[in-house]
Structures are given as C-alpha cells and as structure tokens.
Amino acid sequence: MSDIRKITSALISVYFKENLDKIVTSLDKLGVKIYSTGGTREFIKNLGVKVTSVEDITSYPSILGGRVKTLHPEVFGGILARREQETDLLQLDEYNIPVIDLVIVDLYPFEETLSSGADEQSIIEKIDIGGISLIRAAAKNYSDVIIVSSRTQYNELLELLEEKDGTTTLEDRKKFAAKAFSVSSHYDTAIFKYFNSGQQLLQFRESHLHGSSLRYGENPHQKGIFYGDLELVFEKLHGKEISYNNLLDIDAAINLLADFKETTFAILKHNNPCGAASRGKLIDAWKDALAGDTVSAFGGILITNEEVDEVTAEEINKLFFEVILARKYSPKALEILKQKKNRIILIQKETDYPLFSYRSLLNGVIYQERDLKIETNADLEVITKISPSEKEKTDLLFANKIVKHSKSNCIVLVKDKQLLASGVGQTSRVDALKQAIEKAGNFGFDLSGAVMASDAFFPFADSVEIVRQAGIKSVIQPGGSIRDKDSIEYCDKHGMSMVFTGTRHFRH
C-alpha cells in the first residue's frame, strides 16, 4: 500500500485562532469534512464553512466546565485506527466512528499563565488534558494521520495543502509527529518543573523549543548548537555569525556586569575579566579597563552597562575585538563601530535568567544554584587589628566581584576601582598571586595602595607575605582555613588589614 494519504476529514480544536482562517478555507476548498468543538466551531461557522460538532459524533456535550470535550472513543477511535488493519476498519464501521486524517490542536497556555503571576487555580486550569491526548494519539498513528500541534506550524501545513492538493507522504506525517512530541514533552516538562519547584524529586528536566546551529563547537572539528532564545537576551545590530566561544564569553560578560551598578566597562577573554573599571564617565571607564591588560584585550569581548557615545566609540574603534554589548549606542557611535564588517555589535536586553545552572558530566548532568551572592559592607568581617579604610573597602568589594567571575584558583589586584591584574585558572593559589603581581608589573602599575581578593581561603600565610612585599596592605578572602590564624597574625604583625566574607566563590 502506498504511503500517500489523502486528507478527507479533519478535527480542529484550538485555543489560539490567529491565522487559522487560511487553513480552514483551504481545507474547505479541498472538500475536507471538518469536525470541531466550542469556540473553534463557532469561529469556523463564522467563516461560512460547514463544520460538524464533535458532540454530534459522541452524543455527549462538553461537560465539567469544558474539562471534558473530546475524550471519547468515537473521537480517538477515528484517529488511532490503523488503515491497513481490516479489524480496525471493521470496528469503525461497527460503532459508526468516522475516520480522522488530520488533527489540528494546540495546548492551553500553561507557561504564559505561570509567568503572568496568576494564582494557583488559574495555573492548574491551564493544564491541558484533551489537547495533549489528541496530540499523542495523532502522532502515534503518523502512518495514517497528520498532526498539527502548534500555530507555528500553520504556514507549513498550508504550503503542504496547496502544493500537494491535500495529500501527505509518510515523511511529511513523521516530521509533524516529531514536532508534536516535541510540543507535548516540552509542555509536560514545564508542568513537572512547576510541581517540583522545591526539588522534592531529584530528577532533572529541561526543555528548549528553539535551537540554532553554530558554525562549530569549541573547536572547528566539533559540532555546536545553542538551545534557547537569544532574541530575549540581546538584539544583534551588526557583524558575523556568533560562535560557540562568543556565546561563552557573552554569558560570562553579562553575569559579571550584573553585579555592578556604577558606570562600568569590562573586557573579557576566554570567560575571564582581563580589564574592568568603574568611573563617573564612560570614556574613563573604557580607558582604565583597557589599561589593565592591553595585550589580552586584543580579540576580546567588551561590555558596558551604559550607552556608548561617540567619544568612547572613537577610542574603542582603535582596538580589534570580537563582540561588544551595551544598553544602547548613539547613532554616531554605531556608525563608527560598524566600520569593521565582522565586528559583532549587540544591545543587551532586560530579561530573567534561570536561578540554576547545569552541565553534562560523566554519564549525567550536574546541577547547582547560580552564584548570585554579592557581598556588601555588611558582609565584611574585619579580623585584623587594623580596619581597611573606606576607600579600601570600596576597592575590596570591587575586587571581590571580579574574583567571583574569574576561573579558580584566582587572585585579583585592584586600585581605585580598576582591575590592575589577575592570576586565573592556576592549580596553586600562590602561583595565581605571583602571576597577578608579575602581570601588574609588566603593565607598569604601582601596587602601593592596591588591594587583593582571593576566591577561596589561604591555606598558609605565604600569600599575605608575598602580597605585602609587593606593597599591598589590604586583603579580602572568604576565610575558613584551619590555619587562618597564621595569615591573621602575619597581617597584624605587618600592619595589614584583612576581611573575611564567609563566602567562597570558586568558578571552574
């Protein structure tokens, strides 16, 4: 038997009716018998198209306030019947069940209702029962039935009806079935996450309906795909295709700048801040951020929490960089920055981000809450005889934000709200410190009056000893080592101040 199927009958029952009229009109022209329910039936009638009520098939009205409309053997029998099995067809004849070749159904807007802040009863009422059952039934029987499970598929169906004169191939139906199970599984995932919001069940579910193929993954020999909706995060104004590595850097940049309220500019490379400064004017923030590491900034990612003006754009344009993110750009600034055709220019949007993060690991997934802790003056416990000055406290908190967003082991050196240097991704904390001090020296920075931040405690006093010799006299760290006393005593002996935050900020 051929895998070609002619659509002779359709069941249509949808919540969203936008653009449905073209589908209905096309089906009517093809002589397709249409069955429908409630508001959809009235919509079709108002188009002047003949439609049969589902209640006429089942002999049962819609009951329980609309909770039960299509859940009936005389509906599902017509969908699930296997056209190549004679026994199925005989049973359809025996019980006078009409065959249904096309099912168009969508689902109640559960996620939209949830995000609107509706009360629990309203949310529960948007858990679809009939629609999800119809989708699964029609998709299961894709050998004979075509299922349209979302209004986003209307155009594709319309093209199919017009190009193939109301016929479908097995390939057509299987493709729509795959989309249907994508819709149903995503819907069920959202419902599960609502009921399991407190993590009562240690089970992992995540679903994204949008996917974008990338040029490649982390390296050219690796395939890369982004799952999610980037249009909610930023608007792309200019430049080449965004890569896998660009996205990693963009994510790191957005997370970093989220911790800053002052006018701030930051430069990132391989997910680590290599330059950052907060200033009253954007141009000064840019110049001091760049001064922190003019070498690493080459080919980096730039981000600011302000509008980029013409003066700042002129300076930025002197540097080769991959991506820039900002809240806005003046028309003249945009004109300047667009001079490089491959340069990626993005406007960052306000959006909500997940409160958790996860990554594949071994044969599963590792999951954690995101590190959203931002230390303030209230979190600083002075554990030395000398207290840091107000200026030093400001720099300590600035440095702590930078170290939080840098790869461990990490040491950060800051003065006057400017990142002077950092040592990142080292297996030894002492090596990270030595790297930072050497780097600061290479760029001509005087570390007298600077402060140091560490993402984790000092297991020995060697770090505070080395940093004192470099001219730094104020330190911020989580504390928590069994040998904290050694570092405290060294600081007290040499007139240094040190504060504990009680919060470690490892990042791997």
Side-chain angles (χ1 to χ4, degrees):
M1 185 177 179
S2 170
D3 71 3
I4 302 292
R5 297 287 185 270
K6 178 74 173 177
I7 298 173
T8 61
S9 58
L11 170 61
I12 307 176
S13 181
V14 296
Y15 185 89
F16 298 103
K17 299 171 182 64
E18 294 86 355
N19 299 319
L20 181 64
D21 54 334
K22 295 178 182 178
I23 300 290
V24 171
T25 302
S26 181
L27 291 172
D28 185 50
K29 288 180 179 177
L30 292 168
V32 175
K33 185 175 180 64
I34 299 175
Y35 301 94
S36 190
T37 62
T40 308
R41 183 186 67 241
E42 291 304 311
F43 176 85
I44 296 171
K45 282 178 63 178
N46 290 336
L47 293 174
V49 174
K50 185 177 180 181
V51 57
T52 300
S53 172
V54 167
E55 288 89 336
D56 293 343
I57 302 174
T58 64
S59 300
Y60 272 90
S62 172
I63 61 174
L64 306 182
R67 281 189 164 196
V68 180
K69 289 182 284 190
T70 56
L71 294 169
H72 195 282
E74 294 202 30
V75 174
F76 282 84
I79 296 170
L80 286 165
R82 293 158 291 191
R83 278 42 164 189
E84 293 184 2
Q85 291 210 13
E86 187 178 351
T87 54
D88 283 11
L89 299 179
L90 288 173
Q91 285 187 318
L92 292 183
D93 287 339
E94 180 181 357
Y95 295 106
N96 197 29
I97 298 173
V99 168
I100 296 174
D101 303 312
L102 166 65
V103 175
I104 303 175
V105 62
D106 58 14
L107 300 172
Y108 291 157
F110 177 83
E111 289 182 282
E112 291 88 338
T113 304
L114 181 61
S115 63
S116 73
D119 60 84
E120 183 175 28
Q121 188 56 42
S122 298
I123 293 169
I124 297 302
E125 286 304 316
K126 288 298 184 288
I127 297 177
D128 207 308
I129 304 299
I132 203 85
S133 301
L134 289 168
I135 287 173
R136 292 180 64 85
K140 177 179 180 176
N141 201 25
Y142 71 89
S143 292
D144 299 300
V145 179
I146 185 164
I147 170 66
V148 176
S149 52
S150 168
R151 54 183 166 168
T152 62
Q153 300 163 23
Y154 284 178
N155 286 339
E156 193 172 356
L157 174 65
L158 192 60
E159 290 176 8
L160 200 65
L161 294 174
E162 293 174 348
E163 291 175 6
K164 297 187 178 181
D165 198 31
T167 63
T168 64
T169 64
L170 183 64
E171 182 182 2
D172 295 329
R173 297 189 297 275
K174 194 169 186 178
K175 180 173 69 173
F176 275 90
K179 293 182 178 184
F181 283 119
S182 171
V183 168
S184 65
S185 62
H186 178 81
Y187 194 78
D188 284 340
T189 294
I191 296 170
F192 168 78
K193 289 173 70 175
Y194 170 73
F195 280 96
N196 197 46
S197 58
Q199 299 292 309
Q200 306 95 316
L201 302 176
L202 295 182
Q203 298 178 10
F204 180 79
R205 300 282 193 285
E206 190 63 27
S207 175
H208 292 283
L209 290 175
H210 302 279
S212 305
S213 294
L214 304 173
R215 281 179 291 162
Y216 49 79
E218 203 160 6
N219 298 291
H221 65 277
Q222 296 170 271
K223 183 178 180 180
I225 300 172
F226 175 79
Y227 293 103
D229 190 353
L230 290 174
E231 290 184 1
L232 296 176
V233 180
F234 53 71
E235 177 185 355
K236 183 180 176 187
L237 302 179
H238 182 76
K240 64 182 179 180
E241 182 182 347
I242 297 173
S243 71
Y244 180 99
N245 291 326
N246 289 155
L247 288 175
L248 290 177
D249 283 326
I250 289 168
D251 178 68
I254 288 174
N255 288 329
L256 170 65
L257 258 287
D259 286 357
F260 290 86
K261 302 303 179 188
E262 290 183 81
T263 297
T264 302
F265 227 118
I267 306 168
L268 290 90
K269 193 74 170 286
H270 295 293
N271 313 155
N272 289 299
C274 60
S278 293
R279 295 288 182 266
K281 294 182 179 180
L282 187 64
I283 183 64
D284 296 329
W286 163 250
K287 288 181 177 179
D288 288 342
L290 178 61
D293 188 341
T294 54
V295 176
S296 296
F298 184 85
I301 304 293
L302 317 183
I303 185 168
T304 181
N305 51 10
E306 295 290 346
E307 177 180 343
V308 176
D309 54 46
E310 180 182 355
V311 174
T312 307
E314 288 281 10
E315 290 299 314
I316 293 171
N317 198 44
K318 297 175 183 178
L319 176 74
F320 168 74
F321 60 89
E322 289 270 332
V323 181
I324 182 168
L325 294 95
R327 299 295 181 181
K328 290 175 64 179
Y329 304 87
S330 73
K332 199 68 179 176
L334 198 55
E335 181 182 328
I336 293 166
L337 294 174
K338 282 184 175 181
Q339 290 175 7
K340 306 293 185 183
K341 68 175 184 178
N342 288 330
R343 181 180 285 163
I344 298 169
I345 304 174
L346 307 175
I347 291 180
Q348 185 182 344
K349 297 181 179 179
E350 292 290 342
T351 190
D352 293 326
Y353 294 98
L355 299 177
F356 60 88
S357 64
Y358 58 90
R359 64 201 295 184
S360 60
L361 185 149
L362 300 175
N363 63 345
V365 172
I366 193 167
Y367 171 105
Q368 67 172 350
E369 294 177 340
R370 289 177 59 212
D371 184 0
L372 299 176
K373 173 72 174 174
I374 304 174
E375 280 74 22
T376 66
N377 277 318
D379 298 300
L380 304 183
E381 179 190 0
V382 180
I383 42 79
T384 50
K385 293 177 182 178
I386 296 177
S387 294
S389 66
E390 290 304 311
K391 176 181 177 300
E392 286 174 329
K393 285 182 181 179
T394 298
D395 280 346
L396 289 170
L397 291 172
F398 182 99
N400 202 59
K401 292 175 182 177
I402 300 294
V403 85
K404 167 187 168 184
H405 293 280
S406 303
K407 295 291 180 70
S408 301
N409 286 315
C410 180
I411 294 291
V412 164
L413 308 179
V414 163
K415 183 162 69 174
D416 297 329
K417 294 185 288 186
Q418 177 189 19
L419 173 60
L420 303 184
S422 59
V424 299
Q426 298 300 306
T427 53
S428 160
R429 193 157 302 281
V430 169
D431 285 346
L433 174 56
K434 289 179 178 178
Q435 181 189 63
I437 292 172
E438 180 183 0
K439 194 172 181 182
N442 290 342
F443 289 101
F445 288 113
D446 178 7
L447 293 180
S448 299
V451 304
M452 175 181 76
S454 174
D455 60 340
F457 64 64
F458 300 126
F460 305 102
D462 48 5
S463 292
V464 289
E465 182 178 347
I466 294 169
V467 81
R468 183 193 73 85
Q469 294 170 357
I472 292 174
K473 292 189 175 182
S474 193
V475 176
I476 186 171
Q477 59 139 318
S481 168
I482 60 173
R483 302 186 66 168
D484 277 343
K485 183 180 177 183
D486 295 349
S487 296
I488 296 169
E489 287 180 350
Y490 184 89
C491 288
D492 284 340
K493 184 177 179 180
H494 294 88
M496 299 174 65
S497 64
M498 184 160 62
V499 298
F500 284 178
T501 64
T503 302
R504 188 182 73 185
H505 288 297
F506 269 169
R507 183 166 174 257
H508 295 107

